[in-house]
Amino acid sequence: MVTAAQPPSPRPAPLRHLGPNWYASVMGTAIVASAGVALPGPAHGPRGVLAAVWALSLVMLLVLLTARAMHWARHRDRARADLLDPAVAPFYGCLAMALLAVGGGALTSGRDLIGTRPAVVLDTVLFCAGTAVGLGAAVAVPYLMAVRHRVEPAQATPVWLLPLVAPMVSASLGPLLVPHLPPGQPRETLLLACFALFGLSLLATLLMLPLVFARLVTSGPLPLALTPTLFLVLGPLGQSVTAVGKIADVASGVVPAPYDRGLGVFAVLYGVPVMGFALLWLALATAHVVRARRQGMGFSPTWWAFTFPVGTCVTGAASLAVHTGLAVYDALAVALYVVLVAAWLVAACGTVRGLLSGELLAGPRPAPPAPPSRTVRTRSDAVR
C-alpha cells in the first residue's frame, strides 16, 4: 500500500507574532544608561560604557521599528487583531516610551558619543514623535477598552497602565530640551507643557491603579507569566518623582517667581511620600515574584518589566538626593541601580536565548486542558 507524501508544513513567519511588547527591551536598555548618568558623582559608571549601552538601545530601536513596519506590511490581520486584544493593545504605550527613552538618553549619555548638537536634534525628533504617539495611545487604548474590548474586573493587570505612563515619560524628559530653546515663552511653554503632561498621566494612573489592586485582592495573584508585570506599577511612581524633580531643576529663570521656587518645594513634598509608596510596592511585587518563581514561573518577555520601572525609581531617588541633600537617597539610588543592572542582565540573556531557539517568536501554544473543577470549603464556610 502506497501512501501519498504529506505536503511539507509551512515555515513559521518569524515576524507574525512580533508584538509591540518588544519595545520594552529598548526601554529597559536605554534606562540603564540614563539612570547610570543620574547616579551621584562617585557612583557614576564609566561614561564610555554608559554611552555604549545607549548606542545599543538606539540600534535596538531602529531594528524593532523596521521589524514592526514589516509586521504591519506583511501581517496586517495579526496587527489589527492585536489592537482589538485587551491584553496586547496597552503595549502600544511601549512604542512611545521607547522613542522617548532613547531620545532622552541621547542628551544624558549619548552626547559623549555623538556630540551635543546631534544629540539635541535626535532628542527633539524622538521626543516629539514619542509624545505624539504617547498621547495618542493614552486616548486610543482606553477608548478601545470602553467601546471595542470586552474586559471584566478580574482581567485587570498592571499592563493597563502602560499607555497612561507614556505622557509621564515625556514630562520627565522634556525638561532636558528646555535649555536648548530660545529664552522666554518657548522655554516656559515647554516646561509648563511638561507639567501638564505630568498631571495628565498622574490623574489617569490614579483612576486605573485601584482597579489593579482590587483585582489582586478580590481575584488572587496574577497568572505566573504575568506576575513580573506587577513591577510596572513602579513606572508611574518613579517617573513622576523624576518628572517633578527635572521640572524644578530648570524652572529658575524660565517661570516667574515665586513659581520657580514653588516647583522646587513641590518636588520634595510630592516626591518623598510617593517614593515611600514605590518602595512599599517594590516589596509587595517582589514577594509575588518570589512566590511565582517557587511555583515554576519561567522566563518570558514580561521579565523586561523588572528593568525600566526600577530605572525610574533610580532616577527618582537621585532627584530627591539633589533636592533634599540627603545621603540616604544617594544610597537608595545606587542600591536600586544594582538591582536594575542585574535585572537587565537576566532579561537580556533570557531574550537572546529565546531568540536563538526561536521560542520567543513562535506563535502561542495551544492552551492545556482545564483541570476538573473542585469545590473547596474554606474556614469561613465560603465555597470556592
Side-chain angles (χ1 to χ4, degrees), residues 178-275:
V178 169
H180 301 281
L181 291 177
Q185 288 209 8
R187 291 186 180 182
E188 185 175 358
T189 299
L190 177 57
L191 190 64
L192 292 184
C194 291
F195 201 37
L197 290 168
F198 160 80
L200 180 159
S201 181
L202 176 64
L203 295 177
T205 298
L206 292 178
L207 289 175
M208 192 68 74
L209 187 55
L211 299 178
V212 175
F213 186 71
R215 181 256 181 268
L216 288 177
V217 174
T218 60
S219 300
L222 295 175
L224 296 185
L226 287 177
T227 301
T229 64
L230 288 172
F231 275 70
L232 295 177
V233 176
L234 297 175
L237 301 176
Q239 199 73 75
S240 64
V241 176
T242 304
V244 294
K246 294 299 182 183
I247 290 172
D249 288 342
V250 298
S252 179
V254 176
V255 296
Y259 302 112
D260 55 350
R261 295 190 299 273
L263 288 171
V265 173
F266 180 70
V268 176
L269 295 182
Y270 174 86
V272 171
V274 172
M275 183 57 66

Side-chain angles (χ1 to χ4, degrees), residues 8-322:
S9 58
R11 295 180 62 184
L15 297 182
R16 180 168 178 79
H17 300 284
L18 184 74
N21 59 306
W22 278 88
Y23 288 110
S25 62
V26 179
M27 298 159 52
T29 302
I31 198 68
V32 171
S34 298
V37 173
L39 293 176
H44 271 168
R47 294 192 67 91
V49 174
L50 297 178
V53 173
W54 171 80
L56 174 62
S57 71
L58 176 61
V59 172
M60 292 170 63
L61 176 64
L62 294 175
V63 170
L64 268 177
L65 287 174
T66 303
R68 285 285 296 165
M70 294 172 63
H71 170 82
W72 269 93
R74 298 180 181 179
H75 308 288
R76 193 174 298 272
D77 61 324
R78 181 69 262 165
R80 290 182 174 179
D82 287 344
L83 279 174
L84 298 179
D85 186 345
V88 179
F91 283 102
Y92 275 88
C94 290
L95 167 58
M97 290 185 280
L99 294 169
L100 292 164
V102 174
L107 275 179
T108 58
S109 55
R111 65 181 176 181
D112 292 340
L113 189 64
I114 64 175
T116 299
R117 184 172 178 81
V120 171
V121 173
L122 180 60
D123 187 22
T124 301
V125 172
L126 294 182
F127 176 79
C128 293
T131 300
V133 173
L135 289 173
V139 173
V141 174
Y143 175 80
L144 288 173
M145 293 176 70
V147 303
R148 296 296 299 272
H149 300 164
R150 293 295 177 263
V151 295
E152 301 292 336
Q155 294 176 279
T157 71
V159 172
W160 289 6
L161 295 171
L162 287 173
L164 307 178
V165 180
M168 189 68 79
V169 180
S170 295
S172 66
L173 295 177
L176 295 175
L177 289 170
V178 169
H180 301 281
L181 291 177
Q185 288 209 8
R187 291 186 180 182
E188 185 175 358
T189 299
L190 177 57
L191 190 64
L192 292 184
C194 291
F195 201 37
L197 290 168
F198 160 80
L200 180 159
S201 181
L202 176 64
L203 295 177
T205 298
L206 292 178
L207 289 175
M208 192 68 74
L209 187 55
L211 299 178
V212 175
F213 186 71
R215 181 256 181 268
L216 288 177
V217 174
T218 60
S219 300
L222 295 175
L224 296 185
L226 287 177
T227 301
T229 64
L230 288 172
F231 275 70
L232 295 177
V233 176
L234 297 175
L237 301 176
Q239 199 73 75
S240 64
V241 176
T242 304
V244 294
K246 294 299 182 183
I247 290 172
D249 288 342
V250 298
S252 179
V254 176
V255 296
Y259 302 112
D260 55 350
R261 295 190 299 273
L263 288 171
V265 173
F266 180 70
V268 176
L269 295 182
Y270 174 86
V272 171
V274 172
M275 183 57 66
F277 179 68
L279 294 177
L280 170 65
W281 192 272
L282 176 61
L284 176 65
T286 301
H288 276 265
V289 168
V290 170
R291 172 190 174 276
R293 187 64 174 161
R294 289 176 176 174
Q295 293 191 354
M297 179 186 72
F299 177 79
S300 70
T302 58
W303 282 38
W304 283 102
F306 297 140
T307 56
F308 189 81
V310 174
T312 67
C313 292
V314 174
T315 56
S319 178
L320 283 175
V322 172

